[in-house]
Amino acid sequence: MLNEKHDLIHELPEHKDVIHTLKLENNHFARLFDEYHDIDHEVRRIETGVETTADEHLEQRKKQRLLLKDQLFEMIQKQLTA
């Protein structure tokens, strides 16, 4: 959906505290989180017309964002079961 927020806190609000803890304590999580945020910001700029790009590039960035979200969610789940 256009202009919909996909930042991790909006996507997983019930895990806000775990996300915060992982960002502080896990460098790999923090790096992936920042990469996810950067890609989400880029996608939103393209979808709102601030930036223009080929449709293929936008779709590739959306797929990358989803892959990162899956990786981050897996790390959150592991933290919850630890």
Side-chain angles (χ1 to χ4, degrees):
M1 190 173 259
L2 285 180
N3 206 14
E4 186 175 309
K5 287 188 176 235
H6 287 278
D7 62 89
L8 209 55
I9 300 300
H10 280 92
E11 291 287 303
L12 305 169
E14 67 278 13
H15 299 302
K16 180 181 176 182
D17 293 336
V18 176
I19 291 168
H20 178 71
T21 299
L22 283 169
K23 281 174 46 182
L24 294 175
E25 297 177 357
N26 185 318
N27 290 333
H28 182 63
F29 183 91
R31 184 182 60 77
L32 293 178
F33 180 90
D34 289 344
E35 186 177 350
Y36 178 91
H37 175 76
D38 291 344
I39 291 172
D40 183 55
H41 183 71
E42 178 186 357
V43 167
R44 291 198 61 205
R45 289 177 57 83
I46 293 167
E47 288 179 339
T48 59
V50 174
E51 294 181 22
T52 58
T53 188
D55 289 342
E56 295 82 18
H57 177 76
L58 176 60
E59 290 305 312
Q60 185 273 331
R61 298 308 277 168
K62 285 181 176 181
K63 288 177 183 177
Q64 183 65 28
R65 178 178 65 185
L66 183 58
L67 177 64
L68 286 167
K69 179 182 170 188
D70 289 344
Q71 292 172 346
L72 290 163
F73 184 69
E74 182 178 328
M75 295 173 81
I76 291 167
Q77 290 297 100
K78 285 182 181 176
Q79 179 75 14
L80 290 171
T81 59

